[in-house]
Amino acid sequence: MRRKNYKKLWTVLLCTALFFTELSSAGSLAFAAQEDAAFEEIQDTQPKEAEKPNGEDGLESEEKGDSVEVAEDPESVEGADEKEGSQTDTSEKEDSADSGESVEEKEGETQEEQLLDAEETETGQDEEDDGQIVSEDEAGGKTNESEAKKNLADGAQIDEDQIEDELCVQLASDDIASGSYKNIKWVIDASGKLTVVGNGNVNDSGQYVPWYEYRNSVKSAEVRVTGMTNAHGMFAGCSNLIALDLSNFDTSNVTRMSCMFEYCSSLSSLDLSSFNTAKVTTMSYMFRGCSNLSSLNLSSFNTAKVTDMSDMFRGCSNLSSLDLSSFNTSNVTNMAYMFSGCRNLSSLDLSNFNTSKVIGMEFMFEYCSNLSSLDLSSFNTSNVTDMWYMFNGCSNLSSLDVSSFNTS
C-alpha cells in the first residue's frame, strides 16, 4: 500500500517537473522573440552614425555587426533542436543584451556630444558677449575722454589748480599733522610747511583754526583757497612762520581778517598787495605781536567798509615806517591800541585819516617811543568817548598839536 502511494507521489512530482520545464522553455522562447522584435525595431528607427575618423569606436562597431548578424535569422534559431535552441537562445540573449548596451552607449555618447556642442556654443557666445562688453566699456572710456576734451575746448570751467591742490594734500607717513574742515583740507608736512586748499572757511566765527594746536610747527605756508568769508586767526600764534605764499588766496569775499597774523613773531616781511579787502569789516589784532616785521606792504588795501582797527599794529616793534595812504577810515569806530608798542616807528603820516565816527582812541600811540613828530590836524574827535593813555610812553615826541581836537 505504501509502495503504491510512493509511486503515485513520484509520478506526480515527475509530471510537475516536466510541466514546469516545458513552461520555462516556452517562456524563454517567447521572451527571446520579444527581444528580437524590439531590437529590430530599434535598428530600424536608429539613424546611422557617421564613422569616426580615428577609429575610436571600431570595437563597438564589430560588436554591433555581430549582434546584427545574430538577429537577422530568428527562424533558423527556432528550427534547431531543443539543446541547440537552448544554447542559441542563451547566446541570442547575451548578444541582444550586448547590442542593447552598445546602442544605449551610442545614444548616451550622442547626447553627451550634443550637450558638449551646446555648451561650447554657449561658451563661445558668452565670450563673444564679454568681448562686446569690454569693447563697449573701452568705447565708453574713449567717449568720456573725447567729451572731456570737448568740454575743455568749449571753455568748461575746470580748476586745474584745485586738482593740483587735492594732490598736494595727500598724506605722507612723516607729516606732522593734517585734517579737514568742511570743504577745506590742510596738511603740515615734515618740513613744517602748512598747505591749505579748498573752498570756504577754515573755522567758525570766533573759533581757532584746525591747525592751531600745531601752530609752533609751522615754518612756511601756502594757501590756495576760494570762497572764504572768515579768515579770523588764520596764522595766529605761528611764531616760527618765516615765509608765506598767498598769491593764490582769493580774499574777495572775506569780511573778517581779525587776528589773521597775530603773533607771527618770526615774519620779517609781508607783501599783501594781492589782497582784495573790499568786503572786510574788521581788521582788529590783524598784525598784533609781529615783533620782527620790518616791511609791510598794504598798498592795495581797501578799508572803506572796515569798522574796527583796534590793536591792528600793536606790538609791531620793528616797523620803522608804515604807509597807510590808501586807507579809508570813514567808517571806523574803534582805533584803540592801533599803534601801541610800535617802538621803532619814527614817522607816521595820518593826514588822510577820517575819524568822524571813531569812538575809542585809548592807548592809540602808547609806547611809540621813537616818534619825534605826529600830525593829527585832520583828526575829528567829536564822537570820541575814550582817549585814555592815548600818547603814553611817547618819550621822543618833542611837540604835538592837538588844537583841532573836540573834547566837549
Side-chain angles (χ1 to χ4, degrees):
M1 187 71 180
R2 287 182 179 177
R3 288 182 179 178
K4 289 181 179 181
N5 291 334
Y6 283 133
K7 285 181 180 180
K8 289 181 180 180
L9 179 63
W10 279 109
T11 303
V12 171
L13 290 173
L14 183 61
C15 291
T16 303
L18 290 173
F19 174 77
F20 279 109
T21 301
E22 290 179 357
L23 183 63
S24 175
S25 298
S28 298
L29 289 173
F31 180 75
Q34 289 177 355
E35 284 207 344
D36 289 341
F39 177 73
E40 288 178 357
E41 186 175 354
I42 292 171
Q43 287 293 101
D44 292 339
T45 58
Q46 180 69 25
K48 291 185 178 180
E49 188 174 358
E51 294 183 359
K52 295 188 178 180
N54 294 329
E56 294 175 354
D57 294 334
L59 183 60
E60 293 180 2
S61 299
E62 290 178 2
E63 291 177 358
K64 183 177 178 181
D66 293 341
S67 300
V68 171
E69 288 177 1
V70 172
E72 279 176 356
D73 193 12
E75 294 179 357
S76 62
V77 175
E78 292 178 359
D81 57 34
E82 291 182 2
K83 189 180 289 185
E84 290 177 354
S86 176
Q87 292 176 354
T88 304
D89 290 339
T90 304
S91 64
E92 282 178 357
K93 290 177 183 178
E94 293 175 353
D95 291 341
S96 298
D98 292 340
S99 298
E101 291 176 358
S102 178
V103 170
E104 290 176 356
E105 290 175 358
K106 287 292 183 179
E107 291 177 350
E109 290 178 357
T110 303
Q111 292 177 353
E112 290 178 357
E113 289 176 356
Q114 291 175 352
L115 289 173
L116 287 173
D117 291 340
E119 288 177 357
E120 289 176 357
T121 303
E122 291 177 358
T123 303
Q125 185 64 36
D126 291 339
E127 290 176 352
E128 185 176 351
D129 292 340
D130 290 341
Q132 291 177 355
I133 292 170
V134 170
S135 299
E136 287 173 0
D137 289 340
E138 291 175 352
K142 291 179 180 178
T143 303
N144 292 336
E145 185 178 357
S146 63
E147 287 179 357
K149 290 180 179 178
K150 183 179 179 181
N151 288 337
L152 283 172
D154 292 340
Q157 294 181 351
I158 297 176
D159 193 351
E160 294 179 357
D161 290 337
Q162 191 72 15
I163 296 172
E164 292 177 2
D165 292 338
E166 293 296 334
L167 295 175
C168 75
V169 294
Q170 294 298 318
L171 301 182
S173 59
D174 57 351
D175 286 341
I176 296 172
S178 62
S180 61
Y181 177 85
K182 295 183 179 179
N183 295 322
I184 296 291
K185 293 182 180 181
W186 62 273
V187 61
I188 303 174
D189 64 20
S191 67
K193 180 181 179 180
L194 168 65
T195 303
V196 186
V197 300
N199 179 272
N201 294 324
V202 296
N203 64 337
D204 287 322
S205 178
Q207 300 299 314
Y208 291 115
V209 290
W211 53 86
Y212 183 79
E213 181 181 352
Y214 307 96
R215 61 193 180 281
N216 292 325
S217 299
V218 178
K219 296 179 180 179
S220 63
E222 179 180 4
V223 180
R224 293 190 174 190
V225 175
T226 59
M228 182 181 290
T229 61
N230 183 14
H232 172 81
M234 194 166 185
F235 305 103
C238 295
S239 58
N240 294 310
L241 180 65
I242 58 174
L244 268 172
D245 182 0
L246 304 175
S247 57
N248 291 302
F249 182 19
D250 180 10
T251 63
S252 59
N253 291 307
V254 175
T255 60
R256 297 190 68 205
M257 288 187 175
S258 52
C259 307
M260 191 171 182
F261 303 98
E262 184 181 29
Y263 293 118
C264 291
S265 54
S266 295
L267 272 179
S268 60
S269 63
L270 189 56
D271 185 358
L272 302 180
S273 58
S274 63
F275 271 29
N276 181 342
T277 62
K279 293 183 179 180
V280 178
T281 60
T282 177
M283 291 183 175
S284 60
Y285 299 91
M286 189 171 181
F287 305 102
R288 179 188 181 186
C290 293
S291 55
N292 199 44
L293 197 62
S294 60
S295 175
L296 181 60
N297 187 349
L298 306 177
S299 58
S300 66
F301 269 35
N302 179 348
T303 62
K305 291 187 178 181
V306 177
T307 59
D308 193 351
M309 288 186 177
S310 60
D311 298 83
M312 188 173 180
F313 304 100
R314 183 178 181 180
C316 292
S317 55
N318 205 38
L319 273 177
S320 58
S321 62
L322 189 58
D323 184 2
L324 303 178
S325 57
S326 64
F327 274 33
N328 180 345
T329 62
S330 58
N331 286 307
V332 177
T333 60
N334 193 355
M335 290 184 177
Y337 293 92
M338 188 172 181
F339 305 101
S340 176
C342 293
R343 299 178 183 275
N344 203 38
L345 202 60
S346 58
S347 62
L348 189 59
D349 184 2
L350 304 179
S351 58
N352 62 312
F353 268 35
N354 182 345
T355 62
S356 59
K357 292 184 180 180
V358 176
I359 297 172
M361 287 187 177
E362 65 272 25
F363 300 93
M364 188 173 179
F365 303 100
E366 181 190 32
Y367 294 117
C368 289
S369 54
N370 204 37
L371 271 178
S372 58
S373 63
L374 188 59
D375 184 0
L376 303 179
S377 57
S378 64
F379 271 34
N380 182 346
T381 61
S382 57
N383 287 310
V384 176
T385 58
D386 195 346
M387 292 183 182
W388 186 263
Y389 285 89
M390 189 173 179
F391 305 99
N392 181 49
C394 294
S395 55
N396 202 38
L397 199 60
S398 57
S399 62
L400 184 59
D401 184 2
V402 291
S403 58
S404 62
F405 276 31
N406 184 351
T407 59
S408 58

